Amino acid sequence: MRFLHTSDWHLGRSFHRVNLLSAQRAFLDHLVETVRAREVDAVLVAGDIYDRAVPPLAAVELFDEALHRLAGLGVPTVMISGNHDSARRLGVGSGLMERAGIHLRTDPAGCGTPVLLDDAHGPVALYGLPYLEPAMVRDILGARRADHAEVLGAAMDRVRADLAGRPAGTRSVVLAHAFVTGGAVCDSERDITVGGVASVPAAVFDGVDYAALGHLHGCQILTERVRYSGSPLAYSFSEAGHRKSTWLIELDAAGSVQAERVDCPVPRPLARLRGTLEALLDDPAQVRHEQSWVEATLTDTARPHEPMARLTKRFPHLVSLVFDPDEVPGHSSASYAQRLRGRSDQEIAEDFVAHVRAGRAADAQERAELQSAIDEVRAAEMTAEVAR
């Protein structure tokens, strides 16, 4: 059976205030054509369909159009909600959509109920595990603790239990939206840290033939059977080195996996340039970036006059301008944002405590109280989102 694995469409998202709707439409055109031309048996979409819980109307219309086109091809599509989606909103009408072959899996309680497909070699069970916010789903899944590893492990226990009751030789696929240990992160992914631990081990997916993952925006192979497709478009300059693609997965009669990357259309390349203003304006080597989306980091020790206007004349698609002056001896030029980059909410809170107490760091009890407060805020945000 042949699957097309994709994720993290983030419909409705912009790139540094540049509207990406036309680029997202071009990707969906490419996806539908790939499904048709490569005779795909099912499409797997591993979460973050939309960029936010209440997406703009244009994004909803684009999603609706894509579903109609996939249904028109007669190709089943299995989708799960991600941490950017409102699971309740995305799941509205899922019962009716299922009749057209569009299977939306947004309810954590349904983790152990698969979509069943058949080919010449027998049945394939596809299990959709939507994004599992630990504090919200712990009781639903009967997990011992409210952390990512526990709730995803409890969901996979339901998958394995259901699979054990199916005919011998039934092949299995799981869709999940999570941060799995070993995956490389980038700046455009929303932090899902809970209890100080965001990642789960790849071994949680043991027992199934293929795990189609979403959440991380880079296409990655964790094992031959556990893969991220990555996002089809770049959503931050940290993705400048990504090759955006989907996975074409072949599952043979024995459940062995063969995978092929299918490149996505690139609306415009990304370039991260660094140097003084005059160097960037005069360097002939930068000609190749003149039609790219550009992030320019200026290293001038004194801020130059009208840098944006001057750079835009050479790089008309300049969308981000950063000032990072060359270090002056005895002075630190690192910005507040740069000092915080890559640090978790817990680490930032602990640094603040140490700062206001003249270097005396938080003790174990204080660290636990800070983490508890952060988890409560995250849970309150998720509750408010569900209620909206």
Side-chain angles (χ1 to χ4, degrees):
M1 189 169 286
R2 182 175 296 169
F3 305 103
L4 189 67
H5 167 199
T6 177
S7 73
D8 295 274
W9 294 356
H10 289 280
L11 300 180
R13 188 164 185 158
S14 59
F15 181 79
H16 292 271
R17 298 180 300 280
V18 176
N19 189 311
L20 290 179
L21 199 66
S22 62
Q24 291 173 332
R25 183 181 300 278
F27 161 69
L28 291 173
D29 288 344
H30 158 79
L31 181 141
V32 171
E33 176 56 23
T34 300
V35 169
R36 186 197 63 76
R38 302 300 298 270
E39 298 182 337
V40 169
D41 296 305
V43 177
L44 314 177
V45 189
D48 281 353
I49 311 300
Y50 293 119
D51 189 56
R52 54 183 186 266
V54 184
L57 179 59
V60 177
E61 290 174 339
L62 184 57
F63 177 60
D64 180 66
E65 178 186 328
L67 294 189
H68 276 83
R69 295 173 68 186
L70 289 169
L73 291 175
V75 175
T77 299
V78 183
M79 297 180 162
I80 60 172
S81 49
N83 60 300
H84 280 249
D85 300 309
S86 168
R88 293 279 298 275
R89 283 189 173 85
L90 187 62
V92 169
S94 58
L96 289 173
M97 291 184 192
E98 194 144 350
R99 299 179 186 180
I102 305 296
H103 306 273
L104 284 167
R105 293 295 187 258
T106 62
D107 183 358
C111 288
T113 303
V115 176
L116 294 173
L117 303 178
D118 287 280
D119 65 7
H121 306 296
V124 180
L126 294 89
Y127 299 88
L129 280 53
Y131 171 66
L132 303 173
E133 177 64 27
M136 300 290 291
V137 305
R138 173 188 177 181
D139 293 339
I140 295 172
L141 296 175
R144 293 173 298 176
R145 295 187 304 276
D147 66 42
H148 285 285
E150 284 291 331
V151 297
L152 191 54
M156 282 301 302
D157 286 343
R158 293 191 176 196
V159 168
R160 284 185 283 264
D162 179 84
L163 195 56
R166 298 199 172 273
T170 298
R171 291 157 292 163
S172 56
V173 174
V174 164
L175 289 77
H177 194 88
F179 176 18
V180 178
T181 304
V185 302
C186 59
D187 294 345
S188 57
E189 299 143 1
R190 184 180 294 169
D191 180 23
I192 58 172
T193 303
V194 171
V197 179
S199 66
V200 299
V204 75
F205 299 108
D206 286 354
V208 297
D209 295 310
Y210 184 70
L213 301 183
H215 179 57
L216 300 185
H217 288 184
C219 181
Q220 300 172 60
I221 305 171
L222 302 186
T223 74
E224 285 303 307
R225 297 181 181 275
V226 181
R227 299 169 185 253
Y228 282 100
S229 65
S231 61
L233 298 172
Y235 292 115
S236 73
F237 277 101
S238 65
E239 299 168 63
H242 287 189
R243 173 188 163 195
K244 295 301 183 180
S245 58
T246 57
W247 284 113
L248 193 65
I249 301 296
E250 292 269 7
L251 202 62
D252 70 12
S256 297
V257 172
Q258 290 187 338
E260 174 189 344
R261 287 182 74 174
V262 180
D263 290 326
C264 297
V266 179
R268 194 177 294 281
L270 307 187
R272 307 184 91 169
L273 309 183
R274 182 181 179 89
T276 65
L277 176 62
E278 295 304 325
L280 295 183
L281 291 174
D282 297 338
D283 185 359
Q286 306 300 348
V287 170
R288 68 185 188 278
H289 298 310
E290 289 180 352
Q291 295 306 312
S292 300
W293 277 320
V294 170
E295 177 188 72
T297 299
L298 297 183
T299 60
D300 303 77
T301 54
R303 186 166 298 207
H305 179 62
E306 295 186 336
M308 191 75 173
R310 296 169 66 187
L311 281 168
T312 303
K313 289 182 179 178
R314 183 176 192 188
F315 306 105
H317 303 288
L318 173 70
V319 295
S320 177
L321 183 60
V322 179
F323 292 95
D324 185 19
D326 285 334
E327 194 76 28
V328 176
H331 295 80
S332 174
S333 62
S335 70
Y336 180 70
Q338 289 170 323
R339 294 196 300 272
L340 296 187
R341 186 170 296 159
R343 301 184 68 75
S344 68
D345 291 343
Q346 176 78 9
E347 291 170 326
I348 293 168
E350 291 179 15
D351 288 349
F352 177 76
V353 170
H355 172 73
V356 298
R357 296 200 308 206
R360 185 164 63 86
D363 59 27
Q365 181 178 348
E366 289 169 333
R367 290 196 298 272
E369 290 175 355
L370 286 169
Q371 186 61 67
S372 177
I374 291 169
D375 288 349
E376 287 180 10
V377 170
R378 290 185 184 279
E381 289 176 344
M382 290 297 296
T383 300
E385 180 178 295
V386 169
R388 282 200 295 267

